[in-house]
PDB file of all heavy atoms in Angstrom:
ATOM      1  N   SER M 637     154.895  75.752 166.951  1.00 49.00           N
ATOM      2  CA  SER M 637     155.913  75.974 167.897  1.00 49.00           C
ATOM      3  C   SER M 637     156.717  74.688 168.145  1.00 49.00           C
ATOM      4  O   SER M 637     157.922  74.759 168.498  1.00 49.00           O
ATOM      5  CB  SER M 637     155.303  76.379 169.252  1.00 49.00           C
ATOM      6  OG  SER M 637     154.540  75.403 169.799  1.00 49.00           O
ATOM      7  N   THR M 638     156.184  73.499 167.936  1.00 47.00           N
ATOM      8  CA  THR M 638     156.989  72.266 168.143  1.00 47.00           C
ATOM      9  C   THR M 638     157.757  71.861 166.915  1.00 47.00           C
ATOM     10  O   THR M 638     158.654  71.076 166.988  1.00 47.00           O
ATOM     11  CB  THR M 638     155.953  71.088 168.451  1.00 47.00           C
ATOM     12  OG1 THR M 638     154.964  70.998 167.466  1.00 47.00           O
ATOM     13  CG2 THR M 638     155.290  71.388 169.797  1.00 47.00           C
ATOM     14  N   SER M 639     157.360  72.435 165.711  1.00 48.00           N
ATOM     15  CA  SER M 639     158.116  72.184 164.520  1.00 48.00           C
ATOM     16  C   SER M 639     159.268  73.188 164.494  1.00 48.00           C
ATOM     17  O   SER M 639     159.270  74.122 163.725  1.00 48.00           O
ATOM     18  CB  SER M 639     157.229  72.257 163.327  1.00 48.00           C
ATOM     19  OG  SER M 639     156.252  71.305 163.364  1.00 48.00           O
ATOM     20  N   THR M 640     160.335  72.974 165.186  1.00 65.00           N
ATOM     21  CA  THR M 640     161.427  73.893 165.339  1.00 65.00           C
ATOM     22  C   THR M 640     162.685  73.385 164.642  1.00 65.00           C
ATOM     23  O   THR M 640     162.832  72.215 164.311  1.00 65.00           O
ATOM     24  CB  THR M 640     161.741  74.133 166.800  1.00 65.00           C
ATOM     25  OG1 THR M 640     162.077  72.872 167.445  1.00 65.00           O
ATOM     26  CG2 THR M 640     160.605  74.722 167.527  1.00 65.00           C
ATOM     27  N   THR M 641     163.641  74.366 164.481  1.00 72.00           N
ATOM     28  CA  THR M 641     164.929  74.039 163.853  1.00 72.00           C
ATOM     29  C   THR M 641     165.883  74.056 164.968  1.00 72.00           C
ATOM     30  O   THR M 641     166.003  75.047 165.737  1.00 72.00           O
ATOM     31  CB  THR M 641     165.286  75.062 162.774  1.00 72.00           C
ATOM     32  OG1 THR M 641     164.320  74.976 161.721  1.00 72.00           O
ATOM     33  CG2 THR M 641     166.661  74.833 162.242  1.00 72.00           C
ATOM     34  N   ILE M 642     166.708  72.992 165.087  1.00 80.00           N
ATOM     35  CA  ILE M 642     167.768  72.933 166.115  1.00 80.00           C
ATOM     36  C   ILE M 642     169.013  73.580 165.372  1.00 80.00           C
ATOM     37  O   ILE M 642     169.423  73.061 164.303  1.00 80.00           O
ATOM     38  CB  ILE M 642     168.113  71.555 166.535  1.00 80.00           C
ATOM     39  CG1 ILE M 642     166.945  71.081 167.439  1.00 80.00           C
ATOM     40  CG2 ILE M 642     169.434  71.570 167.405  1.00 80.00           C
ATOM     41  CD1 ILE M 642     167.215  69.602 167.947  1.00 80.00           C
ATOM     42  N   SER M 643     169.564  74.645 165.915  1.00 79.00           N
ATOM     43  CA  SER M 643     170.653  75.269 165.382  1.00 79.00           C
ATOM     44  C   SER M 643     171.836  75.388 166.346  1.00 79.00           C
ATOM     45  O   SER M 643     171.687  75.983 167.443  1.00 79.00           O
ATOM     46  CB  SER M 643     170.380  76.712 164.901  1.00 79.00           C
ATOM     47  OG  SER M 643     171.345  77.348 164.177  1.00 79.00           O
ATOM     48  N   GLN M 644     172.965  74.747 166.020  1.00 84.00           N
ATOM     49  CA  GLN M 644     174.156  74.745 166.956  1.00 84.00           C
ATOM     50  C   GLN M 644     175.406  75.040 166.179  1.00 84.00           C
ATOM     51  O   GLN M 644     175.435  74.805 165.010  1.00 84.00           O
ATOM     52  CB  GLN M 644     174.257  73.352 167.617  1.00 84.00           C
ATOM     53  CG  GLN M 644     173.149  72.995 168.591  1.00 84.00           C
ATOM     54  CD  GLN M 644     173.540  71.680 169.342  1.00 84.00           C
ATOM     55  OE1 GLN M 644     174.726  71.301 169.533  1.00 84.00           O
ATOM     56  NE2 GLN M 644     172.444  71.014 169.736  1.00 84.00           N
ATOM     57  N   THR M 645     176.341  75.591 166.836  1.00 85.00           N
ATOM     58  CA  THR M 645     177.661  75.909 166.285  1.00 85.00           C
ATOM     59  C   THR M 645     178.751  75.251 167.011  1.00 85.00           C
ATOM     60  O   THR M 645     178.776  75.336 168.281  1.00 85.00           O
ATOM     61  CB  THR M 645     177.970  77.494 166.272  1.00 85.00           C
ATOM     62  OG1 THR M 645     176.961  78.138 165.523  1.00 85.00           O
ATOM     63  CG2 THR M 645     179.236  77.709 165.720  1.00 85.00           C
ATOM     64  N   VAL M 646     179.546  74.410 166.456  1.00 90.00           N
ATOM     65  CA  VAL M 646     180.588  73.760 167.029  1.00 90.00           C
ATOM     66  C   VAL M 646     181.864  74.145 166.242  1.00 90.00           C
ATOM     67  O   VAL M 646     181.884  74.519 165.078  1.00 90.00           O
ATOM     68  CB  VAL M 646     180.430  72.169 166.913  1.00 90.00           C
ATOM     69  CG1 VAL M 646     179.311  71.735 167.837  1.00 90.00           C
ATOM     70  CG2 VAL M 646     180.149  71.802 165.533  1.00 90.00           C
ATOM     71  N   ALA M 647     183.006  74.148 167.083  1.00 89.00           N
ATOM     72  CA  ALA M 647     184.305  74.668 166.490  1.00 89.00           C
ATOM     73  C   ALA M 647     185.440  73.992 167.055  1.00 89.00           C
ATOM     74  O   ALA M 647     185.420  73.347 168.147  1.00 89.00           O
ATOM     75  CB  ALA M 647     184.332  76.187 166.737  1.00 89.00           C
ATOM     76  N   ASP M 648     186.567  74.023 166.302  1.00 89.00           N
ATOM     77  CA  ASP M 648     187.831  73.586 166.873  1.00 89.00           C
ATOM     78  C   ASP M 648     188.848  74.717 166.565  1.00 89.00           C
ATOM     79  O   ASP M 648     188.386  75.876 166.513  1.00 89.00           O
ATOM     80  CB  ASP M 648     188.271  72.314 166.213  1.00 89.00           C
ATOM     81  CG  ASP M 648     188.480  72.388 164.623  1.00 89.00           C
ATOM     82  OD1 ASP M 648     188.384  73.556 164.143  1.00 89.00           O
ATOM     83  OD2 ASP M 648     188.677  71.377 164.106  1.00 89.00           O
ATOM     84  N   ASP M 649     190.089  74.457 166.467  1.00 88.00           N
ATOM     85  CA  ASP M 649     191.163  75.538 166.407  1.00 88.00           C
ATOM     86  C   ASP M 649     191.134  76.195 165.085  1.00 88.00           C
ATOM     87  O   ASP M 649     191.704  77.268 164.883  1.00 88.00           O
ATOM     88  CB  ASP M 649     192.496  74.927 166.730  1.00 88.00           C
ATOM     89  CG  ASP M 649     192.724  74.421 168.089  1.00 88.00           C
ATOM     90  OD1 ASP M 649     191.894  74.958 168.922  1.00 88.00           O
ATOM     91  OD2 ASP M 649     193.503  73.585 168.324  1.00 88.00           O
ATOM     92  N   SER M 650     190.450  75.644 163.966  1.00 88.00           N
ATOM     93  CA  SER M 650     190.491  76.123 162.644  1.00 88.00           C
ATOM     94  C   SER M 650     189.187  76.404 161.997  1.00 88.00           C
ATOM     95  O   SER M 650     189.095  77.101 161.005  1.00 88.00           O
ATOM     96  CB  SER M 650     191.462  75.268 161.766  1.00 88.00           C
ATOM     97  OG  SER M 650     190.871  73.930 161.699  1.00 88.00           O
ATOM     98  N   VAL M 651     188.116  75.660 162.415  1.00 90.00           N
ATOM     99  CA  VAL M 651     186.809  75.719 161.775  1.00 90.00           C
ATOM    100  C   VAL M 651     185.737  76.007 162.777  1.00 90.00           C
ATOM    101  O   VAL M 651     185.710  75.505 163.867  1.00 90.00           O
ATOM    102  CB  VAL M 651     186.580  74.348 161.042  1.00 90.00           C
ATOM    103  CG1 VAL M 651     185.099  74.394 160.363  1.00 90.00           C
ATOM    104  CG2 VAL M 651     187.619  74.117 159.914  1.00 90.00           C
ATOM    105  N   SER M 652     184.777  76.895 162.318  1.00 89.00           N
ATOM    106  CA  SER M 652     183.492  77.076 163.039  1.00 89.00           C
ATOM    107  C   SER M 652     182.385  76.498 162.168  1.00 89.00           C
ATOM    108  O   SER M 652     182.241  77.050 161.087  1.00 89.00           O
ATOM    109  CB  SER M 652     183.333  78.550 163.347  1.00 89.00           C
ATOM    110  OG  SER M 652     182.073  78.664 164.054  1.00 89.00           O
ATOM    111  N   LEU M 653     181.641  75.499 162.706  1.00 88.00           N
ATOM    112  CA  LEU M 653     180.657  74.821 161.827  1.00 88.00           C
ATOM    113  C   LEU M 653     179.253  75.079 162.420  1.00 88.00           C
ATOM    114  O   LEU M 653     179.050  74.806 163.603  1.00 88.00           O
ATOM    115  CB  LEU M 653     180.932  73.403 161.646  1.00 88.00           C
ATOM    116  CG  LEU M 653     179.977  72.576 160.834  1.00 88.00           C
ATOM    117  CD1 LEU M 653     180.157  72.925 159.359  1.00 88.00           C
ATOM    118  CD2 LEU M 653     180.214  71.146 161.056  1.00 88.00           C
ATOM    119  N   GLN M 654     178.323  75.678 161.603  1.00 85.00           N
ATOM    120  CA  GLN M 654     176.947  75.784 162.103  1.00 85.00           C
ATOM    121  C   GLN M 654     176.167  74.708 161.410  1.00 85.00           C
ATOM    122  O   GLN M 654     176.232  74.480 160.298  1.00 85.00           O
ATOM    123  CB  GLN M 654     176.375  77.134 161.660  1.00 85.00           C
ATOM    124  CG  GLN M 654     174.920  77.363 162.065  1.00 85.00           C
ATOM    125  CD  GLN M 654     174.263  78.484 161.337  1.00 85.00           C
ATOM    126  OE1 GLN M 654     174.908  79.492 161.077  1.00 85.00           O
ATOM    127  NE2 GLN M 654     172.986  78.413 161.020  1.00 85.00           N
ATOM    128  N   ALA M 655     175.388  73.934 162.282  1.00 87.00           N
ATOM    129  CA  ALA M 655     174.490  72.878 161.834  1.00 87.00           C
ATOM    130  C   ALA M 655     173.044  73.177 162.203  1.00 87.00           C
ATOM    131  O   ALA M 655     172.704  73.400 163.350  1.00 87.00           O
ATOM    132  CB  ALA M 655     174.950  71.555 162.435  1.00 87.00           C
ATOM    133  N   ASP M 656     172.149  73.135 161.210  1.00 84.00           N
ATOM    134  CA  ASP M 656     170.750  73.385 161.435  1.00 84.00           C
ATOM    135  C   ASP M 656     170.061  72.072 161.029  1.00 84.00           C
ATOM    136  O   ASP M 656     170.213  71.556 159.905  1.00 84.00           O
ATOM    137  CB  ASP M 656     170.179  74.490 160.494  1.00 84.00           C
ATOM    138  CG  ASP M 656     170.801  75.844 160.845  1.00 84.00           C
ATOM    139  OD1 ASP M 656     171.294  75.976 161.956  1.00 84.00           O
ATOM    140  OD2 ASP M 656     170.771  76.751 159.967  1.00 84.00           O
ATOM    141  N   ILE M 657     169.220  71.582 161.934  1.00 86.00           N
ATOM    142  CA  ILE M 657     168.456  70.349 161.794  1.00 86.00           C
ATOM    143  C   ILE M 657     166.962  70.653 161.930  1.00 86.00           C
ATOM    144  O   ILE M 657     166.446  71.252 162.821  1.00 86.00           O
ATOM    145  CB  ILE M 657     168.768  69.242 162.920  1.00 86.00           C
ATOM    146  CG1 ILE M 657     170.323  69.032 162.790  1.00 86.00           C
ATOM    147  CG2 ILE M 657     167.970  67.976 162.561  1.00 86.00           C
ATOM    148  CD1 ILE M 657     170.762  68.088 163.883  1.00 86.00           C
ATOM    149  N   PHE M 658     166.215  70.311 160.811  1.00 81.00           N
ATOM    150  CA  PHE M 658     164.824  70.654 160.762  1.00 81.00           C
ATOM    151  C   PHE M 658     163.967  69.443 160.244  1.00 81.00           C
ATOM    152  O   PHE M 658     164.492  68.791 159.313  1.00 81.00           O
ATOM    153  CB  PHE M 658     164.533  71.884 159.764  1.00 81.00           C
ATOM    154  CG  PHE M 658     163.062  72.222 159.676  1.00 81.00           C
ATOM    155  CD1 PHE M 658     162.479  72.989 160.599  1.00 81.00           C
ATOM    156  CD2 PHE M 658     162.406  71.684 158.551  1.00 81.00           C
ATOM    157  CE1 PHE M 658     161.121  73.269 160.411  1.00 81.00           C
ATOM    158  CE2 PHE M 658     160.979  72.011 158.417  1.00 81.00           C
ATOM    159  CZ  PHE M 658     160.439  72.831 159.399  1.00 81.00           C
ATOM    160  N   PRO M 659     162.869  69.093 160.849  1.00 79.00           N
ATOM    161  CA  PRO M 659     162.188  69.762 162.036  1.00 79.00           C
ATOM    162  C   PRO M 659     162.579  69.137 163.357  1.00 79.00           C
ATOM    163  O   PRO M 659     161.941  69.409 164.317  1.00 79.00           O
ATOM    164  CB  PRO M 659     160.692  69.508 161.741  1.00 79.00           C
ATOM    165  CG  PRO M 659     160.655  68.174 161.100  1.00 79.00           C
ATOM    166  CD  PRO M 659     161.948  68.080 160.227  1.00 79.00           C
ATOM    167  N   ALA M 660     163.677  68.393 163.418  1.00 84.00           N
ATOM    168  CA  ALA M 660     164.087  67.835 164.672  1.00 84.00           C
ATOM    169  C   ALA M 660     163.084  66.874 165.320  1.00 84.00           C
ATOM    170  O   ALA M 660     162.882  66.897 166.492  1.00 84.00           O
ATOM    171  CB  ALA M 660     164.565  68.856 165.684  1.00 84.00           C
ATOM    172  N   THR M 661     162.394  66.068 164.493  1.00 84.00           N
ATOM    173  CA  THR M 661     161.408  65.164 164.927  1.00 84.00           C
ATOM    174  C   THR M 661     161.697  63.817 164.269  1.00 84.00           C
ATOM    175  O   THR M 661     162.397  63.716 163.244  1.00 84.00           O
ATOM    176  CB  THR M 661     159.981  65.547 164.653  1.00 84.00           C
ATOM    177  OG1 THR M 661     159.844  65.776 163.161  1.00 84.00           O
ATOM    178  CG2 THR M 661     159.643  66.902 165.358  1.00 84.00           C
ATOM    179  N   VAL M 662     161.075  62.788 164.843  1.00 86.00           N
ATOM    180  CA  VAL M 662     161.257  61.450 164.297  1.00 86.00           C
ATOM    181  C   VAL M 662     160.705  61.447 162.751  1.00 86.00           C
ATOM    182  O   VAL M 662     159.648  62.005 162.504  1.00 86.00           O
ATOM    183  CB  VAL M 662     160.436  60.410 165.049  1.00 86.00           C
ATOM    184  CG1 VAL M 662     160.519  59.016 164.344  1.00 86.00           C
ATOM    185  CG2 VAL M 662     161.122  60.255 166.414  1.00 86.00           C
ATOM    186  N   GLY M 663     161.467  60.930 161.797  1.00 86.00           N
ATOM    187  CA  GLY M 663     161.060  60.930 160.469  1.00 86.00           C
ATOM    188  C   GLY M 663     162.199  61.616 159.619  1.00 86.00           C
ATOM    189  O   GLY M 663     163.355  61.720 160.068  1.00 86.00           O
ATOM    190  N   ASN M 664     161.670  62.110 158.534  1.00 86.00           N
ATOM    191  CA  ASN M 664     162.668  62.774 157.615  1.00 86.00           C
ATOM    192  C   ASN M 664     163.139  64.150 158.221  1.00 86.00           C
ATOM    193  O   ASN M 664     162.268  64.985 158.702  1.00 86.00           O
ATOM    194  CB  ASN M 664     162.050  63.089 156.207  1.00 86.00           C
ATOM    195  CG  ASN M 664     161.781  61.710 155.490  1.00 86.00           C
ATOM    196  OD1 ASN M 664     162.579  60.776 155.628  1.00 86.00           O
ATOM    197  ND2 ASN M 664     160.702  61.639 154.732  1.00 86.00           N
ATOM    198  N   ASN M 665     164.322  64.434 158.103  1.00 87.00           N
ATOM    199  CA  ASN M 665     165.005  65.606 158.629  1.00 87.00           C
ATOM    200  C   ASN M 665     165.924  66.166 157.582  1.00 87.00           C
ATOM    201  O   ASN M 665     166.586  65.445 156.833  1.00 87.00           O
ATOM    202  CB  ASN M 665     165.722  65.496 159.929  1.00 87.00           C
ATOM    203  CG  ASN M 665     164.717  65.305 161.122  1.00 87.00           C
ATOM    204  OD1 ASN M 665     164.496  66.309 161.847  1.00 87.00           O
ATOM    205  ND2 ASN M 665     164.155  64.144 161.317  1.00 87.00           N
ATOM    206  N   SER M 666     165.997  67.552 157.485  1.00 85.00           N
ATOM    207  CA  SER M 666     167.011  68.212 156.686  1.00 85.00           C
ATOM    208  C   SER M 666     168.100  68.779 157.522  1.00 85.00           C
ATOM    209  O   SER M 666     167.821  69.269 158.656  1.00 85.00           O
ATOM    210  CB  SER M 666     166.339  69.308 155.832  1.00 85.00           C
ATOM    211  OG  SER M 666     165.374  68.821 154.925  1.00 85.00           O
ATOM    212  N   ILE M 667     169.336  68.560 157.048  1.00 89.00           N
ATOM    213  CA  ILE M 667     170.555  69.103 157.788  1.00 89.00           C
ATOM    214  C   ILE M 667     171.246  70.104 156.831  1.00 89.00           C
ATOM    215  O   ILE M 667     171.542  69.732 155.702  1.00 89.00           O
ATOM    216  CB  ILE M 667     171.436  67.970 158.179  1.00 89.00           C
ATOM    217  CG1 ILE M 667     170.745  67.022 159.114  1.00 89.00           C
ATOM    218  CG2 ILE M 667     172.714  68.603 158.816  1.00 89.00           C
ATOM    219  CD1 ILE M 667     171.600  65.831 159.554  1.00 89.00           C
ATOM    220  N   HIS M 668     171.455  71.351 157.372  1.00 86.00           N
ATOM    221  CA  HIS M 668     172.232  72.350 156.614  1.00 86.00           C
ATOM    222  C   HIS M 668     173.548  72.652 157.388  1.00 86.00           C
ATOM    223  O   HIS M 668     173.495  72.886 158.617  1.00 86.00           O
ATOM    224  CB  HIS M 668     171.385  73.678 156.466  1.00 86.00           C
ATOM    225  CG  HIS M 668     170.256  73.595 155.474  1.00 86.00           C
ATOM    226  ND1 HIS M 668     170.375  74.114 154.200  1.00 86.00           N
ATOM    227  CD2 HIS M 668     169.112  73.026 155.500  1.00 86.00           C
ATOM    228  CE1 HIS M 668     169.263  73.866 153.580  1.00 86.00           C
ATOM    229  NE2 HIS M 668     168.459  73.178 154.308  1.00 86.00           N
ATOM    230  N   LEU M 669     174.630  72.658 156.712  1.00 89.00           N
ATOM    231  CA  LEU M 669     175.910  72.902 157.339  1.00 89.00           C
ATOM    232  C   LEU M 669     176.549  74.104 156.639  1.00 89.00           C
ATOM    233  O   LEU M 669     176.526  74.267 155.411  1.00 89.00           O
ATOM    234  CB  LEU M 669     176.797  71.624 157.105  1.00 89.00           C
ATOM    235  CG  LEU M 669     176.291  70.325 157.630  1.00 89.00           C
ATOM    236  CD1 LEU M 669     177.212  69.188 157.272  1.00 89.00           C
ATOM    237  CD2 LEU M 669     176.129  70.401 159.172  1.00 89.00           C
ATOM    238  N   TYR M 670     177.074  74.975 157.564  1.00 86.00           N
ATOM    239  CA  TYR M 670     177.777  76.166 157.083  1.00 86.00           C
ATOM    240  C   TYR M 670     179.149  76.278 157.809  1.00 86.00           C
ATOM    241  O   TYR M 670     179.229  76.141 159.045  1.00 86.00           O
ATOM    242  CB  TYR M 670     176.946  77.441 157.483  1.00 86.00           C
ATOM    243  CG  TYR M 670     175.564  77.448 156.999  1.00 86.00           C
ATOM    244  CD1 TYR M 670     174.491  76.971 157.809  1.00 86.00           C
ATOM    245  CD2 TYR M 670     175.176  77.943 155.721  1.00 86.00           C
ATOM    246  CE1 TYR M 670     173.218  77.031 157.355  1.00 86.00           C
ATOM    247  CE2 TYR M 670     173.919  77.943 155.286  1.00 86.00           C
ATOM    248  CZ  TYR M 670     172.909  77.448 156.100  1.00 86.00           C
ATOM    249  OH  TYR M 670     171.569  77.484 155.607  1.00 86.00           O
ATOM    250  N   ALA M 671     180.167  76.403 156.899  1.00 87.00           N
ATOM    251  CA  ALA M 671     181.582  76.488 157.472  1.00 87.00           C
ATOM    252  C   ALA M 671     182.064  77.949 157.449  1.00 87.00           C
ATOM    253  O   ALA M 671     181.951  78.631 156.483  1.00 87.00           O
ATOM    254  CB  ALA M 671     182.485  75.627 156.674  1.00 87.00           C
ATOM    255  N   TYR M 672     182.621  78.305 158.704  1.00 86.00           N
ATOM    256  CA  TYR M 672     183.197  79.629 158.788  1.00 86.00           C
ATOM    257  C   TYR M 672     184.580  79.648 159.390  1.00 86.00           C
ATOM    258  O   TYR M 672     184.882  78.555 160.119  1.00 86.00           O
ATOM    259  CB  TYR M 672     182.299  80.559 159.662  1.00 86.00           C
ATOM    260  CG  TYR M 672     180.898  80.696 159.131  1.00 86.00           C
ATOM    261  CD1 TYR M 672     179.816  79.911 159.570  1.00 86.00           C
ATOM    262  CD2 TYR M 672     180.676  81.776 158.228  1.00 86.00           C
ATOM    263  CE1 TYR M 672     178.553  80.131 159.154  1.00 86.00           C
ATOM    264  CE2 TYR M 672     179.367  81.930 157.672  1.00 86.00           C
ATOM    265  CZ  TYR M 672     178.306  81.147 158.205  1.00 86.00           C
ATOM    266  OH  TYR M 672     177.052  81.343 157.748  1.00 86.00           O
ATOM    267  N   THR M 673     185.379  80.626 159.220  1.00 87.00           N
ATOM    268  CA  THR M 673     186.615  80.727 159.955  1.00 87.00           C
ATOM    269  C   THR M 673     186.228  81.218 161.361  1.00 87.00           C
ATOM    270  O   THR M 673     185.138  81.512 161.675  1.00 87.00           O
ATOM    271  CB  THR M 673     187.504  81.789 159.275  1.00 87.00           C
ATOM    272  OG1 THR M 673     186.865  83.113 159.267  1.00 87.00           O
ATOM    273  CG2 THR M 673     187.806  81.427 157.834  1.00 87.00           C
ATOM    274  N   LEU M 674     187.241  81.253 162.166  1.00 86.00           N
ATOM    275  CA  LEU M 674     187.055  81.630 163.573  1.00 86.00           C
ATOM    276  C   LEU M 674     186.623  83.052 163.709  1.00 86.00           C
ATOM    277  O   LEU M 674     186.052  83.490 164.646  1.00 86.00           O
ATOM    278  CB  LEU M 674     188.210  81.352 164.446  1.00 86.00           C
ATOM    279  CG  LEU M 674     188.631  79.788 164.491  1.00 86.00           C
ATOM    280  CD1 LEU M 674     189.882  79.716 165.444  1.00 86.00           C
ATOM    281  CD2 LEU M 674     187.428  79.005 164.971  1.00 86.00           C
ATOM    282  N   ASP M 675     186.887  83.854 162.729  1.00 81.00           N
ATOM    283  CA  ASP M 675     186.415  85.282 162.741  1.00 81.00           C
ATOM    284  C   ASP M 675     185.170  85.499 161.844  1.00 81.00           C
ATOM    285  O   ASP M 675     184.894  86.569 161.404  1.00 81.00           O
ATOM    286  CB  ASP M 675     187.528  86.256 162.287  1.00 81.00           C
ATOM    287  CG  ASP M 675     188.031  85.877 160.864  1.00 81.00           C
ATOM    288  OD1 ASP M 675     187.574  84.812 160.305  1.00 81.00           O
ATOM    289  OD2 ASP M 675     188.887  86.651 160.349  1.00 81.00           O
ATOM    290  N   ASN M 676     184.389  84.364 161.686  1.00 77.00           N
ATOM    291  CA  ASN M 676     182.974  84.418 161.089  1.00 77.00           C
ATOM    292  C   ASN M 676     183.045  84.833 159.617  1.00 77.00           C
ATOM    293  O   ASN M 676     182.133  85.438 159.070  1.00 77.00           O
ATOM    294  CB  ASN M 676     182.140  85.383 161.808  1.00 77.00           C
ATOM    295  CG  ASN M 676     181.538  84.819 163.079  1.00 77.00           C
ATOM    296  OD1 ASN M 676     181.433  83.580 163.243  1.00 77.00           O
ATOM    297  ND2 ASN M 676     181.435  85.655 164.123  1.00 77.00           N
ATOM    298  N   LYS M 677     184.090  84.369 158.825  1.00 81.00           N
ATOM    299  CA  LYS M 677     184.076  84.557 157.471  1.00 81.00           C
ATOM    300  C   LYS M 677     183.842  83.257 156.698  1.00 81.00           C
ATOM    301  O   LYS M 677     184.311  82.219 157.297  1.00 81.00           O
ATOM    302  CB  LYS M 677     185.447  85.170 156.981  1.00 81.00           C
ATOM    303  CG  LYS M 677     185.635  86.545 157.500  1.00 81.00           C
ATOM    304  CD  LYS M 677     186.997  87.113 156.969  1.00 81.00           C
ATOM    305  CE  LYS M 677     187.221  88.563 157.491  1.00 81.00           C
ATOM    306  NZ  LYS M 677     188.562  89.120 157.098  1.00 81.00           N
ATOM    307  N   PRO M 678     183.099  83.191 155.637  1.00 84.00           N
ATOM    308  CA  PRO M 678     182.837  81.888 154.943  1.00 84.00           C
ATOM    309  C   PRO M 678     184.166  81.213 154.641  1.00 84.00           C
ATOM    310  O   PRO M 678     185.162  81.768 154.197  1.00 84.00           O
ATOM    311  CB  PRO M 678     182.169  82.368 153.631  1.00 84.00           C
ATOM    312  CG  PRO M 678     181.522  83.622 153.960  1.00 84.00           C
ATOM    313  CD  PRO M 678     182.430  84.320 154.916  1.00 84.00           C
ATOM    314  N   LEU M 679     184.214  79.838 154.923  1.00 88.00           N
ATOM    315  CA  LEU M 679     185.318  79.042 154.730  1.00 88.00           C
ATOM    316  C   LEU M 679     185.081  77.986 153.675  1.00 88.00           C
ATOM    317  O   LEU M 679     184.215  77.105 153.836  1.00 88.00           O
ATOM    318  CB  LEU M 679     185.759  78.327 156.083  1.00 88.00           C
ATOM    319  CG  LEU M 679     186.936  77.350 156.047  1.00 88.00           C
ATOM    320  CD1 LEU M 679     188.211  78.118 155.678  1.00 88.00           C
ATOM    321  CD2 LEU M 679     187.073  76.631 157.374  1.00 88.00           C
ATOM    322  N   PRO M 680     185.759  78.047 152.502  1.00 91.00           N
ATOM    323  CA  PRO M 680     185.616  76.989 151.455  1.00 91.00           C
ATOM    324  C   PRO M 680     185.914  75.622 151.960  1.00 91.00           C
ATOM    325  O   PRO M 680     186.897  75.426 152.644  1.00 91.00           O
ATOM    326  CB  PRO M 680     186.500  77.506 150.360  1.00 91.00           C
ATOM    327  CG  PRO M 680     186.811  78.937 150.631  1.00 91.00           C
ATOM    328  CD  PRO M 680     186.793  79.135 152.085  1.00 91.00           C
TER     329      PRO M 680
END
């Protein structure tokens, strides 16, 4: 339960960015980034 993934979505006027950080603890962490349009379509 403590080894969790922090998942947040931040956006501006043109991009919606989802960021996942795992395991969100001191030490090595992996970060996954996903870009979408404001209507939730994949954005190159």
